[in-house]
Amino acid sequence: MSKLQSQVDVANNLTLREALRHKDVVRNELIAGVTGFFAISYIIIVNPLILKDAGIPTDLSVFATIFSSVIGCLIMGLWANAPVILTPGMGVNAFFTYTIVVNMGLSWQEALGIAAVASFIYMLIAFTKISTILSEAIPDSLKSGITAGIGLFLVEIGLEKAGLIVAGKSSLIVLGDLTKPTPLLALFGLVLSLILYIRKIKGNFFIAIIATSLLAFFCGVKDADTPTVDLARLGQYHKIVFQNDFSHWLSTPFILAAFSMTMILVFESMGLLQGLLPNHKKFKKTFEGSSVTTFLSSFLGTSPTVAAAESASGIESGGRTGIMALTAAVLFALSLIFVPLLAYVPSAAIAPVIIITGALMMAAIGGIKMADFSEWFPAFLIIVLIPFTNSISTGLAFGFVCYPVMKLALGKGKELSWPVYLLGVLFLLDLIFSAML
């Protein structure tokens, strides 16, 4: 066992106070926090651009994104002592904008009201025994499928950011143009990251991000969509804070949207944490902390927060305690001032780390009972539909509906606990209501 692996194993069971007493652990956690932050830093740019279509001013949305991320990471670090980064979630922000506001015709203030109601229900579940019952009821094959599905999702995100795959005309996805600077830079970063990783170099991913960013700077490669943030506009931030509109909370559209968002928040968060956490004993507090942050984010003027799948990059770099999350919180706070500098860390520098992290998570396929098709096929649906639909909750829905159906078809229905059937029914309702919205 390597010295680094030994330190990581020790850190996995340390309290936050104990971890702070170990210099080697602190060093690993700081590197992990920086790596995880850079892997998810694009959310500072992308989330406001999506919420802009809902009518929320982009520059004010940048503040909301940063503040909710800082609070979320502080809660993860101080309350849960978990190596998890919380930010406004990709997928749920699209549901917020394009389903609730654009398709249903509700205002962004009503969407914030729906988010508050959904996250309040999420908190009720998180702080009661319901969360433990549901978590323990998830079959092992589906847990492995969730981890692998999130891994494949990360691989897809990384390949897109690298420009190695693009939307095709005759097919959904085709190979990107390898003569362009971004894919070539990403390939350089991928090779460097792989070499550093397999040679177990400390800070491997962080070193690769910095090296690739420096090469991008000297080659003039820069992302074009970095927003400008004027701190003077912070005085206008109050315009999107506590703007939640509950006036139509008894209307059918409000109730259906709140139900669907609750399903997304509860089970996407549960699935992400099941797939991410190195120490599953921390699940309960992490789930509770996530629910509180989600509730607060709705009043801060942004779409709900979830555990960032990109946290896996920091975890693979050795993150095991809340120090990683606290490091990310500090960096999110500093980004308030240095957002323009993020342009010097292009997508091509981040993509290789995301790709490798996703590949490592896909090793969870080995935990699926491949010889039993009734175990393998529901997990398979989760694995493929998460990336193909760009929705973790949709992948979970199909897998959890399919699982009890296949067991009943085999006459093994009595072997399943009632929460498994409940999850199947809830996810089926979610699919139906989502189609109606």
Side-chain angles (χ1 to χ4, degrees):
M1 182 183 293
S2 67
K3 183 180 178 181
L4 175 59
Q5 186 59 47
S6 177
Q7 292 167 355
V8 167
D9 291 340
V10 169
N12 210 24
N13 297 302
L14 295 177
T15 65
L16 183 62
R17 184 174 295 180
E18 290 170 342
L20 289 169
R21 295 173 186 160
H22 292 70
K23 291 182 180 180
D24 289 338
V25 170
V26 171
R27 182 169 59 249
N28 291 339
E29 297 290 327
L30 290 175
I31 292 172
V34 174
T35 302
F37 168 77
F38 279 118
I40 191 57
S41 60
Y42 69 87
I43 199 69
I44 298 172
I45 300 166
V46 175
N47 190 57
L49 292 177
I50 291 175
L51 297 185
K52 178 183 68 174
D53 292 339
I56 302 178
T58 304
D59 51 353
L60 301 184
S61 188
V62 168
F63 297 137
T65 300
I66 291 173
F67 292 150
S68 59
S69 300
V70 170
I71 292 172
C73 291
L74 287 175
I75 290 175
M76 284 294 101
L78 299 173
W79 168 255
N81 186 30
V84 174
I85 297 172
L86 294 183
T87 65
M90 294 295 293
V92 69
N93 56 6
F95 179 83
F96 179 100
T97 297
Y98 301 113
T99 299
I100 297 177
V101 177
V102 176
N103 293 341
M104 298 178 67
L106 303 181
S107 67
W108 61 266
Q109 291 90 343
E110 287 176 302
L112 288 175
I114 289 167
V117 170
S119 55
F120 180 73
I121 298 171
Y122 175 16
M123 278 202 303
L124 291 179
I125 293 171
F127 280 91
T128 60
K129 291 183 179 179
I130 298 174
S131 61
T132 303
I133 293 171
L134 294 178
S135 174
E136 292 178 349
I138 299 175
D140 290 339
S141 290
L142 294 189
K143 288 181 180 178
S144 297
I146 291 167
T147 303
I150 294 170
L152 188 56
F153 189 32
L154 285 176
V155 171
E156 181 190 41
I157 291 172
L159 291 173
E160 287 178 354
K161 287 185 171 299
L164 293 172
I165 59 172
V166 295
K169 294 181 180 179
S170 57
S171 61
L172 290 175
I173 298 173
V174 296
L175 181 67
D177 186 351
L178 298 183
T179 64
K180 290 185 176 179
T182 296
L184 290 174
L185 188 66
L187 287 173
F188 164 80
L190 183 59
V191 171
L192 178 60
S193 298
L194 285 170
I195 292 172
L196 294 174
Y197 178 76
I198 61 175
R199 292 187 65 85
K200 302 186 186 303
I201 304 298
K202 274 190 177 182
N204 40 46
F205 290 158
F206 177 60
I207 293 170
I209 289 173
I210 295 301
T212 309
S213 298
L214 287 173
L215 181 60
F217 174 75
F218 290 115
C219 293
V221 179
K222 186 178 180 181
D223 291 346
D225 55 357
T226 303
T228 56
V229 179
D230 184 359
L231 279 178
R233 287 279 288 163
L234 190 57
Q236 302 299 312
Y237 175 53
H238 67 275
K239 292 182 177 179
I240 64 171
V241 177
F242 291 103
Q243 295 299 309
N244 314 62
D245 183 354
F246 302 99
S247 59
H248 298 97
W249 69 281
L250 288 177
S251 68
T252 300
F254 194 105
I255 293 171
L256 291 180
F259 176 83
S260 292
M261 185 173 280
T262 301
M263 291 293 292
I264 292 172
L265 295 178
V266 171
F267 293 105
E268 182 167 327
S269 296
M270 186 174 288
L272 279 162
L273 295 174
Q274 290 278 1
L276 289 173
L277 284 173
N279 184 350
H280 285 275
K281 292 179 181 179
K282 297 181 179 181
F283 171 80
K284 178 67 173 174
K285 279 201 168 184
T286 308
F287 198 56
E288 291 170 353
S290 175
S291 70
V292 171
T293 308
T294 301
F295 183 69
L296 294 176
S297 68
S298 67
F299 295 99
L300 292 174
T302 186
S303 55
T305 54
V306 298
E310 290 81 358
S311 300
S313 300
I315 293 170
E316 289 299 333
S317 295
R320 291 295 183 274
T321 75
I323 299 174
M324 170 182 149
L326 294 176
T327 303
V330 171
L331 292 173
F332 270 114
L334 291 175
S335 69
L336 193 63
I337 303 171
F338 300 111
V339 165
L341 294 181
L342 290 177
Y344 295 102
V345 184
S347 298
I350 299 168
V353 175
I354 297 176
I355 292 168
I356 296 172
T357 300
L360 292 169
M361 292 182 70
M362 286 195 69
I365 289 177
I368 302 172
K369 300 174 184 176
M370 306 292 280
D372 185 345
F373 194 67
S374 68
E375 295 281 337
W376 159 236
F377 188 72
F380 164 78
L381 287 179
I382 292 174
I383 293 168
V384 297
L385 287 176
I386 286 177
F388 288 172
T389 63
N390 282 313
S391 170
I392 294 172
S393 60
T394 299
L396 295 181
F398 277 92
F400 277 84
V401 171
C402 180
Y403 190 85
V405 170
M406 295 196 72
K407 292 299 182 182
L408 286 170
L410 286 172
K412 296 182 178 180
K414 293 182 179 180
E415 297 178 7
L416 303 183
S417 60
W418 67 265
V420 175
Y421 290 109
L422 175 62
L423 288 173
V425 171
L426 288 174
F427 274 114
L428 180 61
L429 290 173
D430 180 46
L431 290 171
I432 293 171
F433 291 157
S434 296
M436 293 169 58
L437 293 177

